[in-house]
Amino acid sequence: MVDSLKTEGVIGSITGDFYVACVMYHHNPKHAMAIIDSALARKVETEQDRFYHFMVQGLEIETDVANKHFDLALRKGQLHINDADMDYVNSHEQLLSSFV
């Protein structure tokens, strides 16, 4: 389904990677991390990319915890909070409800 939505131009690559990584997170967290790394390496070009890039960063931290990399997750989480554009977070109800 993700590939079809990407082909139709409904979603971008970062968005697709986010949803595939979410599914893989429950089945194989290490594979999810590879998808997350790929998503984070992509260039953010649209507003949708920006939103899902932010979401992928959060999923990366959750995946580190699932892989029992607690120190790494803590460091990435602190960086994520420090680097967060709070004006952007505050402008999105979905981000605001899950971030602050």
Side-chain angles (χ1 to χ4, degrees):
M1 180 179 285
V2 169
D3 289 338
S4 296
L5 291 171
K6 284 170 47 178
T7 300
E8 294 294 320
V10 176
I11 64 173
S13 294
I14 296 173
T15 305
D17 288 346
F18 171 77
Y19 286 113
V20 171
C22 284
V23 170
M24 290 308 303
Y25 171 83
H26 296 288
H27 301 286
N28 186 339
K30 290 182 181 179
H31 187 91
M33 188 55 81
I35 296 167
I36 290 166
D37 290 343
S38 175
L40 292 176
R42 296 183 190 278
K43 183 177 180 184
V44 174
E45 297 178 343
T46 67
E47 184 62 26
Q48 183 186 69
D49 288 348
R50 184 177 183 195
F51 177 83
Y52 280 97
H53 187 272
F54 193 93
M55 297 297 290
V56 169
Q57 287 176 310
L59 184 59
E60 177 186 36
I61 296 162
E62 289 181 43
T63 305
D64 283 336
V65 170
N67 287 321
K68 300 187 185 336
H69 301 147
F70 303 116
D71 289 341
L72 183 60
L74 185 59
R75 285 193 301 272
K76 286 180 184 177
Q78 189 62 55
L79 287 172
H80 189 45
I81 290 169
N82 292 346
D83 292 343
D85 177 352
M86 290 311 293
D87 289 334
Y88 181 72
V89 172
N90 288 328
S91 71
H92 282 76
E93 195 170 308
Q94 287 176 305
L95 289 180
L96 187 59
S97 66
S98 63
F99 187 72
V100 291

